[in-house]
Amino acid sequence: MPATKKTAVRGKTAVRAARAQTPPQRLPQRLPQLRLKREDRERQIVDEAIRYFADVGFSGDTRELARRLHITQPLLFRYFPSKEALIERVFQEVSTSRWNPYWEDMLADRSQPLRERLLAFYKDYSRIILTREWVRILLFSGLRGQGLNRKYLQLVRARIYMPILAQL
């Protein structure tokens, strides 16, 4: 049976009445933009970039990273002039900044047997360095041909392997 004009109007009225009774759906609230000190904002960017690149690799888009941070992409580039500069900083944070110079002194200390020094070194090294982020970023760097992983392995070779070999 075809709808008459009167039933169509009543149908619209019923829809309007139903909408009036149901509470409006709220859109997801955007986090308030905080004015942070420059060093705090930079730290926030680096920390999230570590998580982001560990999750998606270095092919991840800086626009998506900025979205995760609830900032604009131009603001991201005020802190890091290029994606490569940000990647370099991320790699520095997860590898070389965690390097403990004490490890080199501990391995050079011949008052302890080499086996004990190596066990102590690897126990501490694995606790501090071998995190999920570090492993994934090192692997993504190698897959991308970035050269960052080679730089880190050269550091390990020069500061750990060569001094140990000199003692044998």
Side-chain angles (χ1 to χ4, degrees):
M1 175 185 302
T4 64
K5 190 173 189 179
K6 193 172 186 178
T7 58
V9 171
R10 261 191 264 166
K12 287 181 185 177
T13 306
V15 169
R16 281 189 206 123
R19 283 186 188 152
Q21 290 175 359
T22 57
Q25 290 184 352
R26 293 185 174 244
L27 295 174
Q29 294 255 337
R30 206 183 152 119
L31 294 176
Q33 286 290 4
L34 300 175
R35 284 227 178 259
L36 299 175
K37 292 180 189 173
R38 181 167 180 79
E39 57 271 7
D40 293 339
R41 177 70 72 189
E42 186 173 320
R43 176 86 262 145
Q44 178 193 39
I45 291 170
V46 170
D47 289 346
E48 184 58 34
I50 290 169
R51 286 187 290 275
Y52 179 66
F53 290 131
D55 288 343
V56 303
F58 293 124
S59 61
D61 187 36
T62 56
R63 190 166 289 137
E64 174 61 22
L65 174 60
R67 189 190 67 72
R68 281 186 175 197
L69 287 160
H70 302 286
I71 63 173
T72 63
Q73 191 178 23
L75 180 60
L76 178 69
F77 284 118
R78 274 192 218 138
Y79 288 87
F80 298 94
S82 67
K83 183 178 176 181
E84 296 307 315
L86 178 59
I87 289 172
E88 181 71 36
R89 175 67 183 278
V90 162
F91 196 78
Q92 176 193 2
E93 286 290 322
V94 298
S95 61
T96 56
S97 72
R98 295 180 185 181
W99 189 266
N100 186 348
Y102 169 72
W103 294 332
E104 296 166 60
D105 296 336
M106 178 177 50
L107 289 170
D109 178 17
R110 291 183 180 222
S111 67
Q112 297 289 321
L114 181 59
R115 183 181 194 291
E116 288 179 28
R117 289 181 278 157
L118 288 172
L119 287 172
F121 162 72
Y122 279 115
K123 191 179 213 178
D124 198 42
Y125 177 86
S126 63
R127 182 179 55 79
I128 292 172
I129 298 287
L130 299 178
T131 63
R132 175 190 180 276
E133 289 86 7
W134 181 87
V135 170
R136 291 182 60 91
I137 286 173
L138 187 74
L139 289 172
F140 283 131
S141 172
L143 291 171
R144 189 173 187 211
Q146 192 93 17
L148 296 172
N149 60 340
R150 281 192 297 269
K151 199 185 306 185
Y152 182 76
L153 293 174
Q154 287 172 347
L155 172 84
V156 171
R157 182 176 191 264
R159 293 186 179 178
I160 302 300
Y161 298 153
M162 296 311 286
I164 290 171
L165 289 173
Q167 295 180 37
L168 298 179

